[in-house]
Amino acid sequence: MAEIVCADFDASDSSSTNFAACLIAEESAANLAEVEAGLDIFYLLFAGSLVFLMQAGFAMLCAGSVRQKNVKNIMLKNLLDACGGALGFWSIGFAFAYGSSDSSTKSFIGGSNFFLSDIGTTVDLAEGANPGAAYIGFFFQFAFAATAATIVAGTVAERCKMSAYLCYSVFLTGFVYPVVVHSIWAANGFLSAFNANPPLGVGVVDFAGSGVVHMTGGATALVAAKILGPRIGRFYDADGIPLPEPKDFPAHSVSLQILGTFILWFGWYGFNPGSTLAIANSGAGAVAGLCAVTTTIAAATGCVTAMFFSTIIEQRKTGEATYDLTMAMNGALSGLVAITAGCSVVAPWAALVIGFVGGLVYYGFSSLLVKLRIDDAVDAVPVHFANGAWGVIAVGLFAEPGRMAAAYSDAAAEHSGWFYEWGQGSADASLLACQVFCVLWVIGWVGATMIPFFLVLNMLGLFRVDPLEEEVGLDISHHKGSAYDLSAPDKDQVEELLARQATAHGKVEAPAGEDA
């Protein structure tokens, strides 16, 4: 059979050779492109929905971790995170993060598309842009921004004013977080691996946000916890004298904690594989599949590492082995945070190592916070800040050249993880240097913006609730009553029931006036 040649096909010339076959081929290619575009949009809608579901996971985890007198308060704050994040990121945050993305230049912050005003315009449509793709891109990124804000909620639980919470939630999602996003993920970010001329020839590799999302939220939480101070009775007595041993405030619902942990783990399959931003081609599908595997392995390894390491330490101290559920849950989350940066560029065996170290990092940093008398109500700082930093650095050690090429570019693959470079006899540490600088950049930026912000709130008396309100509980003092109805039945009615059971052997008499 002769080969059909359509290179010079003209749809307006019906007399051209192979007209019908070439017309069908052209229309099929156009239809296929539309299907692929629609599939990619649906994929981001699905992945973004999973990420947004993580808000419910954070809410359940935080609600279970606090005392019952503060459940309404922490649940409302988690809800308002989503609301504040949506409004702040829609109005200015998305513009600061991705506005004016020209990969041939570099900038500190974006400056266009405020209120999504550049999407769907006449010029935008004339250039052939798909507004659906632009809108779904905002939705996916908003879900990430809301996650960064929610990280802070648990750390300052049980003592932070609602007004302060609203202020820093909007400030974080509207300005602080978008600047970090722009620097690392935007095409014209000064640290971006997507830039035409990235730093050291490779730029920062943070595929799904160990540094961008988790470190930013975790660093903010650390600053807030330090300035806000510990909960009453946690480290000091009524006279301000340090306690010999910190007082533990047991979680009021382990069931909610474990439910929240599983929801977060489930949502991470939108967080990491979804960061391919596409699925309609085999390359993106392969990367997404790898992300799912490495995410699973790191989470499982972090869980068992943190729990059993805690068990070993406890046994050496007391002679008895105990198994801490909180360590297991936060260990799993630590593994998830740690793998987020490199889920697309490391091998499954490396994910196991990253998760293992993540569990140890969580245990060590959690213990350090207690020694420093910094009160983190849900241990969000060790999970998100410490393991976010470890996850970013781990990429600089374990990133494989072939996987770098698949997830980023052939040029990026020329600078792989230091262990691979070292194994090949090379001293190239370009990627590792970029990753270390990323950690320093996030710490520096968040510190420079959030420390003054929280200090001002604190000086104005807008940060911490009144001590009496804190002791009584924020549900009663701020939200019209407790989350749970714990009122007992009327005492007289109980005594009457007991007397009736004692004399009539439990027989219930019909009220007077009713037929037998």
Side-chain angles (χ1 to χ4, degrees):
M1 181 181 291
E3 181 180 359
I4 299 176
V5 179
C6 300
D8 300 322
F9 172 67
D10 182 4
S12 63
D13 182 9
S14 60
S15 64
S16 62
T17 306
N18 301 320
F19 174 80
C22 290
L23 180 62
I24 293 173
E26 184 179 76
E27 291 180 349
S28 297
N31 291 337
L32 180 61
E34 290 183 359
V35 170
E36 289 180 347
L39 182 60
D40 286 338
I41 291 174
F42 177 77
Y43 179 65
L44 278 186
L45 174 61
F46 171 73
S49 298
L50 289 183
V51 177
F52 187 71
L53 181 63
M54 293 173 71
Q55 296 294 317
F58 280 116
M60 294 300 99
L61 180 60
C62 291
S65 299
V66 301
R67 291 167 287 181
Q68 66 181 28
K69 63 183 181 180
N70 296 305
V71 173
K72 274 188 178 179
N73 181 261
I74 195 65
M75 295 280 271
L76 180 58
K77 286 175 179 175
N78 276 271
L79 176 60
L80 292 179
D81 268 329
C83 300
L87 297 176
F89 204 65
W90 163 71
S91 57
I92 59 175
F94 190 69
F96 287 154
Y98 290 104
S100 307
S101 292
D102 181 0
S103 63
S104 63
T105 63
K106 292 182 181 180
S107 62
F108 178 76
I109 192 171
S112 64
N113 203 18
F114 293 98
F115 300 93
L116 304 185
S117 58
D118 295 344
I119 299 178
T121 60
T122 303
V123 175
D124 189 39
L125 295 175
E127 294 176 351
N130 184 348
Y135 283 129
I136 203 63
F138 162 78
F139 169 72
F140 188 70
Q141 294 300 331
F142 139 71
F144 277 62
T147 299
T150 304
I151 291 170
V152 188
T155 296
V156 298
E158 303 194 308
R159 63 209 191 272
C160 177
K161 281 188 175 181
M162 184 63 69
S163 56
Y165 189 80
L166 291 172
C167 288
Y168 78 68
S169 181
V170 173
F171 183 58
L172 180 63
T173 56
F175 179 65
V176 178
Y177 169 77
V179 170
V180 179
V181 171
H182 184 82
S183 66
I184 297 172
W185 283 347
N188 59 339
F190 66 92
L191 296 176
S192 177
F194 304 106
N195 193 268
N197 184 27
L200 302 182
V202 61
V204 172
V205 174
D206 186 3
F207 186 73
S210 288
V212 173
V213 180
H214 297 282
M215 261 200 78
T216 300
T220 302
L222 178 59
V223 171
K226 179 61 178 177
I227 296 175
L228 185 61
R231 288 167 289 178
I232 295 174
R234 176 76 167 105
F235 296 120
Y236 304 93
D237 63 17
D239 297 322
I241 300 174
L243 298 172
E245 291 292 334
K247 180 180 179 181
D248 291 328
F249 295 141
H252 98 278
S253 175
V254 174
S255 301
L256 290 179
Q257 284 183 300
I258 196 67
L259 174 62
T261 301
F262 272 120
I263 292 175
L264 288 172
W265 190 337
F266 179 73
W268 237 283
Y269 292 119
F271 210 97
N272 288 359
S275 291
T276 59
L277 306 182
I279 200 64
N281 62 81
S282 60
V287 173
L290 173 65
C291 291
V293 172
T294 53
T295 298
T296 302
I297 293 174
T301 308
C303 174
V304 296
T305 300
M307 186 185 72
F308 283 112
F309 186 76
S310 171
T311 298
I312 293 171
I313 297 298
E314 187 69 20
Q315 187 175 33
R316 291 179 64 88
K317 289 181 178 179
T318 65
E320 296 183 3
T322 59
Y323 304 94
D324 192 335
L325 178 60
T326 298
M327 280 288 167
M329 293 185 297
N330 284 335
L333 297 178
S334 295
L336 289 165
V337 170
I339 198 60
T340 296
C343 57
S344 64
V345 297
V346 303
W349 69 264
L352 185 142
V353 176
I354 292 171
F356 176 80
V357 176
L360 299 180
V361 168
Y362 163 71
Y363 182 91
F365 208 86
S366 178
S367 301
L368 177 62
L369 288 184
V370 174
K371 289 183 180 296
L372 297 176
R373 300 183 184 276
I374 297 176
D375 186 15
D376 184 348
V378 299
D379 261 356
V381 174
V383 170
H384 297 279
F385 173 71
N387 272 290
W390 158 239
V392 171
I393 293 172
V395 173
L397 300 174
F398 295 103
E400 285 190 8
R403 301 182 198 277
M404 285 280 288
Y408 284 85
S409 66
D410 292 335
E414 296 177 3
H415 305 278
S416 54
W418 188 76
F419 287 154
Y420 285 92
E421 297 288 347
W422 180 63
Q424 297 170 2
S426 171
D428 183 9
S430 299
L431 178 58
L432 180 59
C434 286
Q435 301 302 105
V436 171
F437 186 80
C438 172
V439 171
L440 298 176
W441 152 241
V442 172
I443 294 173
W445 171 246
V446 172
T449 52
M450 298 309 298
I451 290 176
F453 183 82
F454 284 126
L455 285 175
V456 170
L457 286 179
N458 200 40
M459 287 188 296
L460 295 176
L462 300 175
F463 201 7
R464 182 158 189 151
V465 299
D466 179 80
L468 180 60
E469 294 178 343
E470 181 179 343
E471 290 278 28
V472 171
L474 301 186
D475 287 358
I476 293 176
S477 60
H478 286 69
H479 306 292
K480 299 183 179 179
S482 174
Y484 304 106
D485 182 8
L486 301 177
S487 58
D490 184 80
K491 184 177 179 181
D492 293 337
Q493 292 178 341
V494 172
E495 292 178 351
E496 180 182 351
L497 176 62
L498 293 176
R500 178 186 299 174
Q501 291 176 337
T503 58
H505 303 289
K507 181 180 179 182
V508 178
E509 298 179 0
E514 292 189 8
D515 294 333

